Amino acid sequence: MKDIIDHLASTRNLTLEQLVGLLASEDSEGIRYLFHLAHQTAQNSYGNKIFFRGLIEISNHCKNDCRYCGIRRSRTGIHRYRLSKEQILQCCQQGYALGFRTFVLQGGEDLWFDDDRMCDIVAAIHQQHPDCAITLSLGERSRQSYQRLHDAGAERYLLRHETANRAHYQKLHPADMSFDNRMRCLQDLKEIGYQVGCGFMVGSPYQTIETLFEDLQFIRAFQPQMVGIGPFIPATGTPFADRPAGTVEATLRLLAIIRLLHPHVLLPATTALGTLHPQGREMGILAGANVIMPNLSPAALRADYSIYDNKLSTGSEAAETVNDTRQRLAPLGATLLPDRGDFKPQHPANDEPET
Ligand code: SAH
């Protein structure tokens, strides 16, 4: 086991057989070594730091009907909301006072937020907080739209690819969504010059070791600046409501593997991980994650952004308790610096994997 892990760390590559071995292993000492090496690799890349992003969930209206998602179009019985420009700016002001220097605007694909409205909001945040990074996570849009948002001041974009396997993609999404368009979006974002994040759910229905291997290969080819992974968690009122959740253990192992494959990638310990385990965030950091994204949305609306059941939005997920979180994570190196936490490209001299 140790051999496989050392080989993974030095070559930044692994085979399907090795992935199977790592995910199925019951060698707890070997897995501890995997986590340790991944944590150390994160620290080698970014120092003893965890980056904080303020997450603002701007709307839970969505035109899409993704089969896993609790805010899908056809989900009934939930309260739909969208934030006004003023509310969003207020969230940013609160976040700024708390020390956040990155704001992530995430939402369903809500047509109300057309390019004019969205650019106006991005430009206003940019003007009020010129020292902050603006990250968008608003799903699939046209290239022109991504370009306009970039011109308005958005520098980063999160769009999980969800799965790199076409047939799997089709099982997770309705017929009017396409794998090709998802990939087109990611390519456009990259070409425009965004720092881009892709990613997937761990344990999504129909996922196999082979599709996970394809995910890792896709990430290797695409070279994103960020990778978001978290366990799938079933959402009431969706076609996958009765499916089992992904596991904390598999998520941690994949975080560690991704860290070793991509020493410099920005890798969040996600809310979904924190939802499945009270120490999920800490465990994620100890397995190589180096970003956390506390929730800056208006507290009264947080529960409505219910992409899965029992989504955590209190405790360490809540931006206003960031000082407690900072203390709790301090032993792990979680300093909340007023820092944008940009992707740090590898120095060319250090870019060659060791042989
Ligand atoms: N509309 C945006 C934001 C979607 S929510 C977009 O398309 O990017 C962000 C991520 O939450 C999704 O990409 C998906 O991977 C994840 N997600 C959705 N439903 C989930 C569920 N039931 N369990 C775990 N993660 C989920």
Side-chain angles (χ1 to χ4, degrees):
M1 173 64 67
K2 191 163 177 295
D3 293 354
I4 298 183
I5 298 165
D6 283 334
H7 188 258
L8 161 60
S10 61
T11 62
R12 295 184 209 148
N13 208 348
L14 95 169
T15 64
L16 175 59
E17 291 66 35
Q18 289 168 338
L19 178 65
V20 173
L22 288 174
L23 292 182
S25 172
E26 291 180 11
D27 169 3
S28 56
E29 202 176 313
I31 294 304
R32 265 206 304 278
Y33 180 66
L34 172 71
F35 294 160
H36 168 75
L37 211 58
H39 182 49
Q40 213 172 41
T41 301
Q43 294 193 322
N44 288 345
S45 298
Y46 286 95
N48 207 21
K49 274 188 207 167
I50 305 295
F51 299 116
F52 286 69
R53 323 295 197 196
L55 180 64
I56 306 169
E57 294 159 338
I58 67 171
S59 171
N60 70 352
H61 289 266
C62 195
K63 72 175 172 59
N64 289 338
D65 222 14
C66 305
R67 302 181 72 202
Y68 45 83
C69 184
I71 61 168
R72 68 201 297 261
R73 178 182 68 223
S74 61
R75 170 112 187 249
T76 52
I78 61 168
H79 168 244
R80 303 273 179 178
Y81 74 91
R82 67 172 60 93
L83 302 186
S84 65
K85 176 183 172 185
E86 291 65 35
Q87 281 175 305
I88 294 170
L89 289 172
Q90 208 173 5
C91 293
C92 293
Q93 280 151 20
Q94 281 168 6
Y96 193 89
L98 289 165
F100 289 90
R101 294 295 178 268
T102 291
F103 303 116
V104 181
L105 275 50
Q106 187 174 83
E109 292 196 18
D110 180 354
L111 296 173
W112 194 86
F113 284 106
D114 59 15
D115 293 346
D116 287 343
R117 289 197 175 105
M118 217 46 237
C119 286
D120 180 50
I121 291 167
V122 169
I125 298 173
H126 193 54
Q127 200 204 352
Q128 291 191 5
H129 304 288
D131 53 339
C132 292
I134 302 168
T135 305
L136 300 178
S137 180
L138 303 172
E140 299 174 16
R141 302 175 79 100
S142 68
R143 181 173 179 127
Q144 187 201 5
S145 169
Y146 290 145
Q147 183 69 59
R148 283 190 59 191
L149 292 164
H150 191 258
D151 295 345
E155 292 171 77
R156 306 183 189 149
Y157 206 101
L158 305 176
L159 184 73
R160 291 188 177 178
H161 63 286
E162 312 296 359
T163 169
N165 178 281
R166 182 182 297 273
H168 186 208
Y169 190 91
Q170 286 166 354
K171 288 182 184 161
L172 296 179
H173 298 97
D176 62 354
M177 288 181 72
S178 93
F179 179 73
D180 290 330
N181 196 49
R182 197 84 176 170
M183 291 293 157
R184 188 274 303 160
C185 288
L186 284 165
Q187 209 54 51
D188 282 348
L189 289 163
K190 191 138 197 232
E191 285 169 16
I192 289 167
Y194 282 94
Q195 294 180 39
V196 186
C198 63
F200 56 88
M201 294 175 283
V202 177
S204 64
Y206 308 106
Q207 185 175 68
T208 62
I209 295 266
E210 285 78 13
T211 66
L212 278 174
F213 186 64
E214 288 179 58
D215 288 322
L216 298 181
Q217 284 181 309
F218 168 71
I219 294 169
R220 190 179 169 80
F222 185 63
Q223 289 291 318
Q225 284 80 18
M226 304 166 277
V227 173
I229 68 163
F232 162 75
I233 302 176
T236 304
T238 65
F240 296 150
D242 298 323
R243 298 288 183 138
T247 67
V248 171
E249 185 61 27
T251 306
L252 294 173
R253 291 185 192 188
L254 281 158
L255 282 171
I257 291 167
I258 292 169
R259 169 60 64 207
L260 293 177
L261 291 171
H262 303 277
H264 280 244
V265 83
L266 292 160
L267 191 62
T270 53
T271 304
L273 190 57
T275 296
L276 284 192
H277 194 291
Q279 263 86 52
R281 297 240 154 178
E282 286 90 334
M283 291 157 75
I285 290 166
L286 291 171
N290 66 340
V291 173
I292 67 172
M293 297 168 58
N295 199 315
L296 264 180
S297 310
L301 293 172
R302 280 179 203 166
D304 293 327
Y305 196 80
S306 49
I307 54 177
Y308 46 81
D309 293 348
N310 307 312
K311 181 167 153 281
L312 209 62
S313 60
T314 54
S316 63
E317 298 299 322
E320 50 296 353
T321 66
V322 75
N323 284 327
D324 303 343
T325 307
R326 172 160 52 183
Q327 278 177 9
R328 239 163 23 97
L329 299 188
L332 310 183
T335 31
L336 172 60
L337 301 169
D339 182 336
R340 288 165 39 113
D342 280 295
F343 177 74
K344 199 171 95 185
Q346 262 165 282
H347 192 277
N350 301 330
D351 208 24
E352 289 304 311
E354 295 163 38
T355 45

